[in-house]
Amino acid sequence: MLELIDTYWLYFLVGQYPKGPLGGLALTVALAAAGLLLALPLGLLFGLARVSPVRALRWPVTALVFVVRGTPLLMVVFWAYFFLPSLTGHKTDQFTTMLIALVVFDAAYLAEIVRAGIQSLPRGQMEASRSLGLSYLRSMRLVLLPQALRAMLPSLVNQFVSTIKETSLGYIIGLNEVAFIASQINTQVFTKPTQIYATLGLTYFLMCFGLSRLAYALERRLSRRSRPSAISEESASSSAALAPVSP
Amino acid sequence: MIQFEKVNKWFGAYHALVDIEETLPQGEVVVVCGPSGSGKSTLIRTLNRLEPIQSGRILIDGQDIHAPGRDVNQFRSHIGFVFQQFNLFPHLSALDNCTLAPQRLRGLRPAEARAQALDLLERVGLAHKAHAFPPELSGGQQQRVAIARALAMQPPLMLFDEPTSALDPEMVGEVLLVMKGLARDGMTMVVVTHEMGFAREVADRVLFMDAGRVLERAAPSEFFNHPQHPRAQQFLSDIRSPFSA
Amino acid sequence: MLDFDFAVLLSGRYHDMLVAGLRLSLQLTAVTLVLALPLGLLVALLRLSPKAPLRALGFGFVESIRNVPLLAHMLFWYFGAPELLPEALKERLYAGNIEAVSAVMALTLYSAAYMAEDIRSGIRAIPGVQMEAGRALGFGFLATMRLVILPQALRVTVPPLISQTLNLWKNTSVATVIGAAELMYQAGQVESASFRSFESFAFATSAYLGVSLLITALAALYQRRFPVKTL
C-alpha cells in the first residue's frame, strides 16, 4: 500500500500536470468550484423566476426546473457531450462539457433552494419594503435576498458537497478527474483494486465530510445569531432537506 | 384628504368591504375600531394599495390612487405604514432601517440620511439604540423604530394597522406616547386599534366597522358615551364588561 | 443531424435493447428499494438509540456513505470488493450477473444512508413525550418505537421517502459505468450502433422523465389523501 501511495500520489492529486492538462483531485475541486460559482447566478435568476408574479417567467422556468430535476445528471452530461459540438460548431473538450452540464443541473437545484429561502421569509418583509415605496425588484435585492441568502448558506455549502460528488460522472466521458485517475492507476497496478478504490472513497469522504461539518457549524451559528434571546435547536437535517441528493 | 367612494372589496366570494363611503379630512386623527373580521385592517390596507379593490374609487388629495399610469412605488413612498408585526428588516441596524428608503428613493446622501434618521430615532426615544439590530430590541422598541422608519420619508399621511396588538401590555404605552406626539404635531393619521383610551384622548373621529361596513362615525365623546348603532353599543359593552352574559 | 427517424425505436433490435434497458433499470430500483428501506430503518434506529456506541455506528454508516459519490461506490463494489471474497463465491459471482449485483450493493447502501436520515427526521418530528409515555407504561425502547412512534412517524416520512425513491430511480443510471445493461447503457449502445444519438437519448430521457412524473404524482396523491396531522 505504501509503495502505491509513494508512486502515484502526485498523479492522484494533479493528474499529468504540468506535463499535461490538470487532473486528479485538483481537477475535481476546480471543476466543482467553477460549476457552483457559475451555477449560482443562473440558479438565483431561476429561483426569482420561480417566485415571480409574472406568469410568463414563472411557467417556463418551472417546466425547465422540473425537466432537469426529473432527469439523471448522467443524461444531462450525455446530451451535452453529444450535442454541444453541433451547437457550438467545434469539438467541445470534456472539461467544458462537464462544466456546462453541471451548471445547468445545479442551477435547477439552486433555483429550488433560492425559492424555498425566499418563501421562508415572513410576508411582512415584502409588504414593509413595498410600503416604503421600494419596487418589487429593489425590495428583492435590498431586503429579501440578503436575508434569504444568509439563511441559505448552509444549503449552499451542502450543494457544493453535492457538486464535488457530481464531478465523478466526468469519468464516463473520459474526463481525468480523481475517479478516472484512480481507475487509470488500477489498470496499471492491476493487483490492488480494493486498496485503490478504498483510497478513492476515503479521499472523497475527507473532503465532503469536512465540508458538511462546516455547513452544520454555519447553520448552528446562524440560528443562534438570528435569535439571541430564544433557544433554538434546529436539527441539521432540516437544511439537508433543501439540498438535493445527487449520485 | 382621503375619500372612499362606494368602495367594495372581495376576497374570492367573501365580501370584505361593503359600499364604503367616507371622507377623512386632512390633519385629523381617525381611529377605526370594531370586532375581529370587521374589515378594518383591510380598509386601511387599501389606502396604500396593499390590497386591491374591485369597485369604487379611493381618492387621496383629490387624485384616484388607482389611476392607470400612476407609479405605485412613488405613491407608496408618500404614505407611512406601520404594521402590527413591526416588519423591521432584521439584517439592518435600526439606523439603516431608517436610512434605506430615503437614500435609495429620495437620493439623500448617506450623511444626510443618517442625520435625519438619528433625529427621528431621538424623537421616538431610541437614539441610543441606533446601531442595534431588530432581534436585539424589544417589541415596543421595534415598533418605535418602525414608526421612525415610516417617518423618514416625511409622509403627509401615516397609517397604523393595530400597532400595539402584538405587544406585551407594559410596552403598549411607549408606542402610544409616540403616536400621541405625532398627532399633536398635526399629522394626518388613520389608526386601526383596540386601544380605546388612545381613541378617547387623541382621535378627532371614530369609525366603527362590522362585517365590512362602516356602521357609525362620530367624535370620540359622542361615540363612547352615546353610541347610536346597536352593534356599536354591543361592542362597547362587551369591551367594558367582558364577563357579563 | 436534422433528419430524425424515430421509426428505428418503435420496433426491431434497437427498440428491444432500449426496452430491455428500461426493464433492468426498473428492476434495479425495485430490488434496491426492498433492501434499502429496512436497512435505512435499522440505521435510523441506531442513530436514535439511547446507547452511544450504537449511535456512533449509525452516524459512521451514514456519513461514510453519503460523503462518497455513487460512482465511487459502484467502482468499489465491482472492482474492489469481489477480490475480498473467497474463490468459490467469486467464481459464482462472475458467472452470474456481477454488474447487477454490484450495482444493487452500491445503490442499496447509498439509498439506505439517505433514507435513514429521512426516517430519523420523521421520528424526531414526533414529540418526545410520546416516547416518555410509552416507556412510562413499561414498554422498552424498541417496543415503544414499534407500537407508538413509528406508526405516527410513517405519515411524515412517506413524502421524503418518495423523494428518495425518485433519486434512486435517477441514480440507477450510474450503473452504466460498471457495464450494467440498464437504460443509460443501452441508450449509449444504440447510439454507437446506429449513430442515432438524438433519438436514443430522447427515448431514454422520456423514459426517465415519465417514471419521475409517475413517482412525483404518487407523492402528490399521497399528500392529498394523507395530510400530515400533528397535535
Side-chain angles (χ1 to χ4, degrees):
Chain A
M1 184 70 205
L2 277 174
E3 335 87 69
L4 205 64
I5 298 176
D6 200 42
T7 325
Y8 290 106
W9 71 276
L10 192 63
Y11 184 49
F12 188 75
L13 283 178
V14 292
Q16 287 164 327
Y17 192 81
K19 278 182 250 144
L22 188 68
L25 191 57
L27 180 64
T28 294
V29 176
L31 180 60
L36 193 61
L37 276 169
L38 290 173
L40 266 171
L42 190 60
L44 196 62
L45 282 172
F46 282 168
L48 285 173
R50 288 277 279 132
V51 297
S52 167
V54 180
R55 245 182 276 173
L57 274 174
R58 205 172 62 232
W59 285 358
V61 174
T62 304
L64 176 70
V65 167
F66 180 79
V67 167
V68 173
R69 284 168 63 109
T71 317
L73 173 57
L74 195 49
M75 197 81 245
V76 178
V77 173
F78 271 21
W79 278 106
Y81 189 66
F82 283 99
F83 295 104
L84 268 178
S86 12
L87 268 161
T88 57
H90 48 78
K91 195 171 188 307
T92 337
D93 68 298
Q94 292 110 321
F95 181 83
T96 315
T97 307
M98 198 60 203
L99 185 64
I100 292 181
L102 279 178
V103 169
V104 170
F105 192 75
D106 282 348
Y109 281 89
L110 283 172
E112 288 305 283
I113 294 178
V114 170
R115 183 182 66 84
I118 292 176
Q119 288 180 331
S120 74
L121 297 173
R123 242 184 104 209
Q125 290 293 303
M126 179 56 97
E127 288 191 344
S129 183
R130 295 305 306 273
S131 293
L132 284 169
L134 290 163
S135 69
Y136 179 85
L137 281 175
R138 292 186 96 169
S139 301
M140 270 296 170
R141 189 165 61 89
L142 298 167
V143 175
L144 286 137
L145 282 176
Q147 295 182 59
L149 286 172
R150 214 162 291 200
M152 277 160 47
L153 208 52
S155 295
L156 288 178
V157 178
N158 276 322
Q159 181 61 48
F160 186 53
V161 172
S162 292
T163 311
I164 289 180
K165 295 194 293 174
E166 287 162 14
T167 59
S168 63
L169 292 184
Y171 177 109
I172 297 176
I173 57 171
L175 180 67
N176 54 345
E177 43 72 56
V178 69
F180 188 81
I181 296 276
S183 286
Q184 296 288 79
I185 298 175
N186 185 48
T187 319
Q188 286 193 28
V189 175
F190 206 67
T191 52
K192 297 195 169 87
T194 322
Q195 292 96 316
I196 291 171
Y197 288 113
T199 310
L200 179 65
L202 188 65
T203 310
Y204 276 117
F205 174 76
L206 289 172
M207 250 195 315
C208 297
F209 184 67
L211 282 168
S212 17
R213 287 284 99 186
L214 176 68
Y216 183 65
L218 268 172
E219 188 173 3
R220 295 196 56 185
R221 254 190 93 202
L222 267 172
S223 58
R224 236 182 295 134
R225 191 187 302 165
S226 63
R227 276 177 283 263
S229 48
I231 306 162
S232 69
E233 297 285 314
E234 304 283 323
S235 74
S237 55
S238 64
S239 79
L242 289 174
V245 174
S246 63
Chain B
M1 188 208 201
I2 299 175
Q3 273 162 282
F4 288 92
E5 290 179 2
K6 261 202 145 245
V7 172
N8 280 280
K9 181 189 171 54
W10 283 267
F11 284 112
Y14 176 66
H15 201 168
L17 294 175
V18 184
D19 291 335
I20 308 284
E21 287 276 350
E22 291 302 320
T23 304
L24 312 173
Q26 181 147 358
E28 275 202 359
V29 175
V30 177
V31 163
V32 184
C33 65
S36 295
S38 54
K40 29 190 221 299
S41 280
T42 311
L43 184 74
I44 203 180
R45 284 162 65 97
T46 58
L47 276 176
N48 78 335
R49 291 177 62 171
L50 274 178
E51 296 290 350
I53 58 175
Q54 277 73 43
S55 84
R57 292 201 310 167
I58 301 175
L59 304 169
I60 297 187
D61 279 342
Q63 292 186 310
D64 185 348
I65 68 175
H66 293 101
R70 186 114 191 233
D71 181 359
V72 65
N73 297 315
Q74 248 270 324
F75 164 71
R76 284 183 180 143
S77 68
H78 292 291
I79 299 181
F81 198 99
V82 177
F83 295 85
Q84 180 177 350
Q85 298 295 336
F86 341 130
N87 291 336
L88 287 183
F89 306 137
H91 62 301
L92 300 175
S93 67
L95 190 70
D96 290 333
N97 261 273
C98 298
T99 58
L100 181 70
Q103 267 184 259
R104 300 281 173 165
L105 296 171
R106 296 277 165 81
L108 253 66
R109 277 198 302 277
E112 290 178 83
R114 262 199 303 274
Q116 180 190 255
L118 276 170
D119 198 52
L120 287 166
L121 286 173
E122 177 74 50
R123 202 168 154 193
V124 303
L126 287 170
H128 61 295
K129 292 279 188 184
H131 298 288
F133 282 78
E136 302 162 31
L137 300 172
S138 74
Q141 291 171 330
Q142 287 190 54
Q143 193 62 301
R144 285 188 276 153
V145 174
I147 294 175
R149 177 177 69 176
L151 289 173
M153 294 298 276
Q154 300 179 327
L157 169 67
M158 285 282 281
L159 306 174
F160 295 81
D161 186 2
E162 302 212 36
T164 57
S165 297
L167 296 174
D168 288 338
E170 69 269 19
M171 291 191 264
V172 170
E174 66 198 53
V175 174
L176 291 181
L177 198 64
V178 170
M179 289 166 66
K180 276 190 220 175
L182 282 177
R184 226 182 4 247
D185 295 337
M187 175 68 79
T188 311
M189 293 162 64
V190 182
V191 183
V192 172
T193 187
H194 295 299
E195 294 292 327
M196 296 300 129
F198 174 84
R200 291 177 101 121
E201 270 188 70
V202 184
D204 297 300
R205 178 188 304 236
V206 175
L207 294 181
F208 175 76
M209 283 187 74
D210 192 10
R213 287 173 211 269
V214 176
L215 294 179
E216 192 160 334
R217 57 193 72 67
S221 52
E222 276 303 304
F223 179 73
F224 287 108
N225 295 325
H226 307 290
Q228 302 288 317
H229 196 284
R231 287 225 275 277
Q233 294 165 353
Q234 182 69 50
F235 176 71
L236 284 172
S237 98
D238 283 344
I239 289 186
R240 282 172 180 144
S241 21
F243 294 108
S244 61
Chain C
M1 187 197 106
L2 282 171
D3 60 320
F4 300 138
D5 184 12
F6 280 98
V8 294
L9 299 179
L10 293 174
S11 60
R13 211 174 100 232
Y14 299 136
H15 169 82
D16 292 338
M17 285 167 74
L18 288 168
V19 170
L22 178 59
R23 195 178 325 123
L24 184 62
S25 290
L26 290 168
Q27 284 170 334
L28 287 174
T29 309
V31 174
T32 305
L33 203 55
V34 164
L35 293 172
L37 267 172
L39 181 59
L41 180 60
L42 177 66
V43 175
L45 290 176
L46 279 176
R47 287 211 63 181
L48 291 166
S49 162
K51 301 202 185 78
L54 291 177
R55 277 203 310 271
L57 188 63
F59 180 78
F61 178 88
V62 170
E63 291 300 317
S64 55
I65 293 197
R66 292 204 311 182
N67 287 301
V68 176
L70 183 58
L71 187 122
H73 285 287
M74 294 254 182
L75 292 175
F76 177 82
W77 288 106
Y78 183 68
F79 291 113
E83 296 302 311
L84 301 169
L85 292 173
E87 272 307 311
L89 205 53
K90 203 161 70 159
E91 295 290 302
R92 268 196 26 214
L93 207 55
Y94 275 106
N97 195 349
I98 184 179
E99 293 86 5
V101 172
S102 307
V104 168
M105 271 309 303
L107 283 168
T108 301
L109 290 177
Y110 198 75
S111 307
Y114 283 95
M115 287 179 179
E117 284 304 281
D118 285 330
I119 295 173
R120 187 174 77 102
S121 296
I123 292 175
R124 286 183 64 170
I126 308 301
V129 291
Q130 292 284 312
M131 175 57 84
E132 282 178 10
R135 302 300 304 263
L137 283 170
F139 290 115
F141 174 80
L142 282 176
T144 312
M145 272 292 170
R146 189 167 56 87
L147 298 166
V148 179
I149 309 286
L150 287 176
Q152 296 182 62
L154 198 66
R155 208 170 267 210
V156 180
T157 318
V158 169
L161 283 180
I162 292 184
S163 167
Q164 286 306 333
T165 310
L166 189 65
N167 285 325
L168 169 58
W169 165 245
K170 292 185 284 173
N171 284 344
T172 56
S173 61
V174 181
T176 194
V177 72
I178 56 175
E182 43 70 58
L183 182 56
M184 186 67 80
Y185 181 88
Q186 296 290 30
Q189 294 292 89
V190 169
E191 191 277 332
S192 18
S194 69
F195 295 103
R196 296 250 162 239
S197 39
F198 186 83
E199 291 87 334
S200 60
F201 290 144
F203 180 95
T205 307
S206 321
Y208 279 115
L209 272 177
V211 176
S212 295
L213 195 70
L214 269 168
I215 297 175
T216 314
L218 190 71
L221 196 75
Y222 182 85
Q223 277 181 304
R224 188 104 59 83
R225 275 200 71 196
F226 301 108
V228 177
K229 287 196 280 246
T230 47
L231 281 167

